[in-house]
């Protein structure tokens, strides 16, 4: 399927959806909805008050996508069943008068997560016709909670690029705050679409940066949770030992409501065994506007002073001041001993092994079984082609190939890195460490490689397994967003929710781009 065919399919699908609403729904005509910045709580209140229905809400989002996404190019596929599902949600509510946790909430899913009825392409030509037989584990949980998948989002092909989001199926996604700039990668489609109010909540994946980077670049909240807290089953992998999936939302509260649904044990993802006994009864309890009061926040010098952009650094200093104003104690110049040595040689390029297992388990095609098959089918991107060739030759550490590449709970280098960080946090009695999500502004699309600088998300949590949340920190010139990142102890999501929610509520930096 060519990019032209996909764009045509998106338009045809939207026309079918519009026809369904016009001919199939006998609702009274109402004034068009203002859906900008709607939250889960506001939508549920509207359902209960009869202000609008799930069908009307979904149609408003679909209209917005049709009217605005041509410039941004964030959506890869519209769900043709979205209106039918919305109708079922409305009928259920009318009958039961009860709302599920995510009842009737429009969801945008990154295009590397298995969803029945929609292709899961990972932005690639090889998977452009792959329709999964089963939803991914977390998709089942979200649907069971009442979420409505309205679309899948564009992404960096095979999730390779943290810098930009360009696929062979849909093309380049642009930053809605300034179309000349990148939305980061690889979940740039989810980032740009949720920022643009094309859906209420979004799902991204993060190997090194890909939830937090696009969230920072698009003035969103992004949760990279502890490795093992959320299942990765049914998701096209990059490096499974680092991969997580999680919320990308406009508010901390909405991200928390998503996390509450998707966290938990999955027998098909053995890493989730590590979360047994570590998940609280609920995460909503940590939404505390005074969560910063009395908190001890450490400024991680190892990352903060790594050649920051002047404007981003000024926003970060203002963020520290704002947290102090909310009662936090800021501990400056926190340094992790042997940080440079511990952070080096952490990556293991396991793409071949992980991808070929996914192909065997889910795709089940004789013609697509190996990385060589993927390379034979090809790509429209020179960046992706070079990355495929590089990953085809190695699955080991660059500097110490004799050290086994294992998960965050058994890999000696990963454990040593985490223990050094948490030891320093314990020594200083810190609740969290903070740093800019990116030390530099988003890059221009035409110079996405040359201007790629300051990506702090890659350095710690993908290797240590620790949770790291980003929240909007403000804007630099050219209307470009920046993010503040909180790093916590393993399985300490509750603390990060308190801190990030309190900061968000005190500053309210988030604003719509359009």
């Amino acid at each position: 399927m060519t990019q032209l065919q996909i764009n045509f399919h998106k338009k045809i699908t939207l026309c079918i959806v519009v026809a369904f609403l016009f001919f199939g729904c006998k609702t009274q005509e109402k004034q068009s909805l203002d859906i900008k910045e709607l939250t889960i709580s506001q939508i549920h209140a509207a359902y209960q008050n009869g202000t609008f229905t799930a069908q009307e809400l979904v149609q408003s989002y679909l209209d917005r996508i049709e009217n605005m996404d041509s410039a941004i190019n964030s959506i890869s596929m519209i769900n043709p069943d979205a209106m039918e599902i919305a109708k079922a949600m409305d009928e259920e509510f009318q009958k039961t008068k009860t709302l599920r946790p995510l009842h009737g909430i429009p969801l945008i899913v990154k295009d590397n997560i298995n969803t029945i009825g929609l292709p899961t392409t990972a932005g690639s030509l090889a998977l452009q016709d792959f329709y999964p037989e089963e939803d991914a584990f977390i998709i089942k949980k979200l649907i069971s909670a009442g979420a409505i998948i309205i679309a899948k989002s564009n992404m960096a092909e095979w999730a390779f690029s943290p810098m930009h989001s360009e696929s062979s199926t849909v093309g380049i996604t642009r930053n809605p705050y300034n179309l000349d700039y990148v939305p980061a990668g690889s979940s740039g489609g989810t980032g740009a679409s949720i920022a643009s109010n094309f859906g209420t909540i979004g799902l991204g994946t993060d190997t090194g940066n890909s939830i937090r980077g696009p969230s920072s670049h698009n003035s969103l909240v992004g949760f990279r949770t502890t490795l093992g807290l959320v299942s990765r089953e049914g998701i096209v992998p990059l490096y499974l030992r680092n991969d997580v999936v999680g919320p990308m939302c406009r508010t901390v509260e909405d991200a928390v409501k998503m996390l509450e649904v998707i966290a938990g044990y999955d027998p098909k993802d053995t890493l989730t065994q590590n979360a047994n006994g570590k998940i609280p009864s609920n995460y909503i309890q940590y939404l505390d506007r005074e969560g910063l009061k009395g908190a001890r926040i450490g400024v991680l010098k190892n990352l903060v002073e790594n050649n920051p952009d002047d404007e981003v650094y000024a926003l970060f200093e203002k963020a520290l001041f704002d947290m102090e104003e909310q009662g936090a104690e800021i501990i400056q110049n926190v340094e992790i001993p042997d940080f440079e040595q511990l952070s080096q040689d952490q990556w293991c390029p396991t793409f071949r092994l992980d991808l070929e297992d996914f192909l065997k388990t889910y795709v089940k095609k004789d013609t697509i079984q190996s990385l060589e098959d993927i390379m034979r089918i090809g790509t429209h991107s020179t960046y992706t082609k070079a990355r495929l060739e590089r990953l085809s030759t190695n699955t080991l550490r660059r500097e110490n190939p004799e050290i086994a590449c294992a998960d965050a709970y058994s890999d000696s280098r990963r454990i040593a890195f985490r223990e050094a960080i948490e030891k320093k946090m314990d020594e200083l009695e810190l609740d969290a460490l903070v740093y800019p999500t990116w030390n530099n502004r988003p890059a221009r699309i035409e110079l996405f490689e040359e201007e790629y600088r300051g990506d702090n998300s890659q350095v710690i949590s993908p290797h240590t397994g620790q949770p790291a949340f980003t929240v909007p920190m403000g804007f630099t010139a050219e209307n470009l967003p920046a993010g503040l990142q909180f790093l916590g102890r393993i399985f300490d999501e509750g603390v990060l929710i308190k801190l990030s929610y309190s900061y968000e509520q005190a500053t309210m930096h988030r604003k719509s781009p359009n």
Side-chain angles (χ1 to χ4, degrees), residues 20-39:
F20 174 89
L21 181 67
F22 186 78
F23 294 107
C25 303
K26 308 219 169 172
T27 54
Q28 188 176 1
E29 209 175 303
K30 291 188 179 182
Q31 192 173 2
S32 61
L33 302 180
D34 182 6
I35 58 174
K36 285 173 67 173
E37 304 299 294
L38 278 179
T39 66

Side-chain angles (χ1 to χ4, degrees), residues 1 72 83 90 118 124 154 158 183 284 314 409 423 443 489:
M1 192 183 291
I72 300 164
M83 287 300 302
D90 286 335
L118 296 169
S124 71
N154 193 33
W158 298 115
I284 300 296
Y409 301 94
K423 181 180 178 182
R489 294 174 178 81

